[in-house]
Amino acid sequence: MTREGAVNAVILALLAAVALAGAAGDRPFLVTLAAKVAILGLAGVGLNIALGFGGLVSFGHAAFFGLGGYVAGILASHAQNYEPVAEWPITIAGTQEMLIIWPAALAACALAAAVIGALSLRTSGIFFIMITLAFAQMLYYFAISWPAYGGEDGLPIYLRNAFPGLDTMDGLQFFALCLAALVLGVGLSWRLRDSRFGLALEAARQNPERVAAVGIRVFRVRLAAFVISAAITGLAGALYADLNRFVSPAMLSWQTSGELIVLVILGGVGRLWGPVAGAGLFVFLEHVLGGVSEYWQALLGLMLLGVVLFARGGLLGLLAGARRHG
Amino acid sequence: MAETVLELAGLSKSFGALRATDGVSLTLRRGEIHALIGPNGAGKSTLIRQITGEIAPDSGTIRFMGRDLTGLDMPARARAGLARSFQVSSVASEFTALQNVVLAVLGASGRVFGFLAPAMADLRLVGPARAHLGRVGLSGREAVRAADLSHGERRRLELAMALALRPKAFLLDEPMAGMGPEGAREMTALLAGLKREAPILLVEHDMDAVFALADRISVLVYGRIIATGTVAEIRADPAVREAYLGEEA
Ligand SMILES: Nc1ncnc2c1ncn2[C@@H]1O[C@H](COP(=O)(O)OP(=O)(O)OP(=O)(O)O)[C@@H](O)[C@H]1O
Ligand SMILES: [Mg+2]
């Protein structure tokens, strides 16, 4: 096994160990934290496809995280109230089935990303950052001002949505589900990175002019990456809504976008398991230091500064060495 | 007369008040190396960039293989068979030499949207890429990051990427720039063999290379072509000697 492989295995084992220890020691809080790491890690894995592989600094991925969450929340609330989501042109009933909610969340986020990406990917650099932020802010204010689904107060999900054969209200089983989704997400991003598409995407990050000069349309490659990235982050959002049994506009806020970027950078930009390591560190800091002092974010800022200045590879770069190509 | 592959007619391009390209007409014929020479700032690179589609001319037309290129973007022109090397080496610097050429083979294949199968295990990509690296003498350097290649090796890597496009014309912007005499000689030998595959529009300051390689030479000064002819004609042209070659000729 390579050193990076070993580090990845340790990350995965640590996460599972925390959840198991929490369940065994009757501390459900730990199980919830582990699930939160898995979910934020998955959201980061999604963002990493755009940000890490493609070099597309999206400051609007909260839009997809929140949209995925709202898809879960809205479908569940309709099912809970026995009201169809729509009656025209076709009747769409609410549902509490994750196996229906997830594809719906993936599709909604892919569609939103196709629109947002088609407009924002015509720009680059700071303009791209600002336009993605602007779209996310639009969704945020829309959610706040739309009373049908709780507006500012958010939308509760009374019982977690269901998955065949599992009791999702059981913390450990729900965690296992999140972990499975995370592993699938990382696996997919690994295949993507090494594929033809991934090669073109990573080349476009390094030198878009060169990529165009060999006959590849950079815009299309980036748009596809943005859509896939958003869909994965949206799936994480649907899981996050279920974890908290609650969706609110906070999921759509720019702080959420920022946190997602932070955890990708902390963990190691462009590294397969980087976002998971970053999510672990982030949640650890939030709950351990956050309990001690409300200034924990200042420390987070310092760490971020340290990573940007001295350890570009993030946590994974420190533990597993520089990433090698080829 | 050999078939015309690339034809520029009345091409003009201004940057503000500066006429960087001023009514340029020239042709590139099958089997030839057509050198484009001229002092710094004459507009050579600007001309290349209009042919590749990186910038649009203000007026004039570019025909390639009998087809008007107006309206085709850079990737479309590359796929139509225009391969280009940049004046300043332009590669994916974090990638290995082999990955860079695989990228070019991938571009030429037109099948970019494969999402699951690993590209570097695909012999349809890696096989040709290795062969192109071999042709430019970089076989032993496949696994080296492009950033760690020497300057001369990077120039040859760019040539391998151009080869990977199976081009119908090469547009090479100063391929010898910054190379030592040894590197320049090797590159000269490489280019001499290349023109049988596809004609070369060669921008170059190295006059030894130009005189050794060129079938025809055009001289560009202040955006205008002041003379076109064989090596002997250009060397004898008084206007050229005055405007450009100076004591050198
Ligand atoms: N994008 C641009 N905007 C404004 N001026 C430009 C631009 N690109 C080139 N120029 C100007 O156009 C002129 C021609 O430049 P170009 O790079 O084509 O020259 P060149 O013949 O390739 O020179 P060199 O031998 O130094 O490479 C120069 O005066 C340059 O400053
Ligand atoms: Mg130039």
Side-chain angles (χ1 to χ4, degrees):
Chain A
M1 202 192 297
T2 63
R3 187 155 150 216
E4 180 159 359
V7 170
N8 296 341
V10 169
I11 293 172
L12 194 61
L14 259 177
L15 191 54
V18 169
L20 286 172
D26 203 20
R27 292 165 71 186
F29 180 62
L30 280 182
V31 186
T32 303
L33 280 192
K36 185 172 177 182
V37 170
I39 293 168
L40 290 182
L42 180 63
V45 166
L47 175 61
N48 199 28
I49 291 172
L51 174 68
F53 302 167
L56 306 169
V57 185
S58 165
F59 197 13
H61 258 50
F64 311 118
F65 192 64
L67 188 58
Y70 269 97
V71 167
I74 289 172
L75 286 175
S77 79
H78 281 278
Q80 285 158 4
N81 302 331
Y82 303 102
E83 286 166 3
V85 181
E87 286 178 346
W88 196 91
I90 50 163
T91 306
I92 302 173
T95 179
Q96 289 251 67
E97 289 297 332
M98 287 184 184
L99 288 180
I100 300 175
I101 289 171
W102 292 354
L106 289 171
C109 291
L111 193 68
V115 174
I116 294 175
L119 295 167
S120 58
L121 286 169
R122 302 197 182 276
T123 66
S124 60
I126 189 75
F127 297 104
F128 178 76
I129 297 176
M130 287 299 130
I131 292 184
T132 50
L133 170 65
F135 276 110
Q137 288 297 91
M138 276 162 57
L139 279 185
Y140 172 75
Y141 286 111
F142 182 73
I144 279 194
S145 57
W146 198 23
Y149 297 112
E152 225 171 331
D153 300 330
L155 187 62
I157 301 173
Y158 298 107
L159 285 175
R160 273 190 195 137
N161 294 308
F163 192 90
L166 289 183
D167 172 10
T168 54
M169 289 306 287
D170 176 81
L172 199 58
Q173 293 190 36
F174 182 72
F175 166 77
L177 199 60
C178 297
L179 191 66
L182 172 66
V183 170
L184 275 177
V186 173
L188 178 70
S189 83
W190 165 56
R191 298 304 296 244
L192 279 179
R193 189 192 68 181
D194 291 349
S195 70
R196 288 169 175 237
F197 164 74
L199 191 81
L201 179 63
E202 290 210 287
R205 178 192 71 230
Q206 299 166 53
N207 190 340
E209 194 183 35
R210 169 40 88 186
V211 175
V214 298
I216 297 173
R217 290 221 162 73
V218 170
F219 177 80
R220 290 188 193 172
V221 171
R222 286 182 171 162
L223 184 59
F226 195 70
V227 166
I228 296 169
S229 162
I232 293 175
T233 298
L235 178 64
L239 285 169
Y240 198 66
D242 264 327
L243 174 71
N244 302 321
R245 288 182 286 142
F246 181 64
V247 200
S248 78
M251 276 180 81
L252 293 159
S253 68
W254 65 266
Q255 286 92 336
T256 302
S257 291
E259 282 172 13
L260 291 178
I261 294 179
V262 165
L263 62 87
V264 170
I265 293 178
L266 275 184
V269 176
R271 308 294 283 251
L272 292 175
W273 286 85
V276 186
L281 187 62
F282 186 88
V283 171
F284 176 81
L285 289 177
E286 183 181 31
H287 287 275
V288 173
L289 293 177
V292 180
S293 152
E294 52 192 289
Y295 296 113
W296 73 277
Q297 300 233 10
L299 188 86
L300 184 72
L302 275 178
M303 291 181 85
L304 201 59
L305 206 62
V307 166
V308 171
L309 290 179
F310 305 113
R312 281 290 172 83
L315 209 52
L316 264 160
L318 286 177
L319 297 173
R323 187 185 152 199
R324 281 202 300 271
H325 279 281
Chain B
M1 195 202 280
E3 174 195 346
T4 296
V5 173
L6 179 68
E7 181 178 9
L8 316 185
L11 220 57
S12 291
K13 174 79 187 175
S14 298
F15 297 114
L18 175 80
R19 284 183 81 84
T21 306
D22 193 357
V24 168
S25 299
L26 70 76
T27 59
L28 181 65
R29 302 180 194 139
R30 175 149 311 205
E32 78 168 344
I33 291 183
H34 189 155
L36 184 64
I37 63 173
N40 290 115
K44 305 179 295 292
S45 297
T46 301
L47 195 63
I48 299 268
R49 285 160 64 207
Q50 290 167 77
I51 303 172
T52 60
E54 191 184 332
I55 55 177
D58 298 333
S59 61
T61 56
I62 305 170
R63 296 183 73 80
F64 178 56
M65 308 291 291
R67 171 179 180 204
D68 188 346
L69 290 183
T70 310
L72 294 191
D73 63 4
M74 212 172 15
R77 293 182 194 199
R79 298 261 291 283
L82 274 173
R84 164 220 205 155
S85 77
F86 293 80
Q87 179 168 355
V88 176
S89 282
S90 176
V91 295
S93 51
E94 297 167 33
F95 277 179
T96 63
L98 184 61
Q99 279 177 311
N100 269 284
V101 187
V102 165
L103 176 75
V105 178
L106 178 61
S109 80
R111 301 180 133 80
V112 177
F113 290 96
F115 292 97
L116 296 176
M120 298 308 289
D122 189 337
L123 287 181
R124 287 167 301 179
L125 299 176
V126 179
R130 290 218 157 96
H132 298 310
L133 277 175
R135 276 197 65 187
V136 302
L138 286 178
S139 281
R141 308 286 281 163
E142 274 180 11
V144 180
R145 272 185 358 137
D148 299 331
L149 292 173
S150 74
H151 177 76
E153 286 173 329
R154 253 200 312 276
R155 306 250 57 157
R156 280 186 281 158
L157 174 59
E158 276 212 79
L159 201 59
M161 295 176 79
L163 280 169
L165 296 180
R166 307 192 162 289
K168 301 198 172 68
F170 290 99
L171 310 168
L172 306 181
D173 198 348
E174 301 196 27
M176 332 256 175
M179 280 188 164
E182 180 62 25
R185 260 197 303 280
E186 281 174 24
M187 185 58 92
T188 303
L190 253 169
L191 297 186
L194 215 58
K195 73 171 182 182
R196 279 191 296 276
E197 267 159 69
I200 303 174
L201 183 62
L202 175 68
V203 172
E204 190 48 68
H205 280 298
D206 180 335
M207 283 305 142
D208 291 338
V210 167
F211 290 145
L213 285 168
D215 299 291
R216 289 193 297 153
I217 300 176
S218 289
V219 184
L220 194 70
V221 178
Y222 293 123
R224 279 170 184 277
I225 292 196
I226 60 166
T228 297
T230 62
V231 172
E233 285 165 359
I234 293 300
R235 291 184 106 149
D237 191 306
V240 174
R241 297 172 72 107
E242 189 191 337
Y244 181 47
L245 295 175
E247 300 302 309
E248 216 181 310

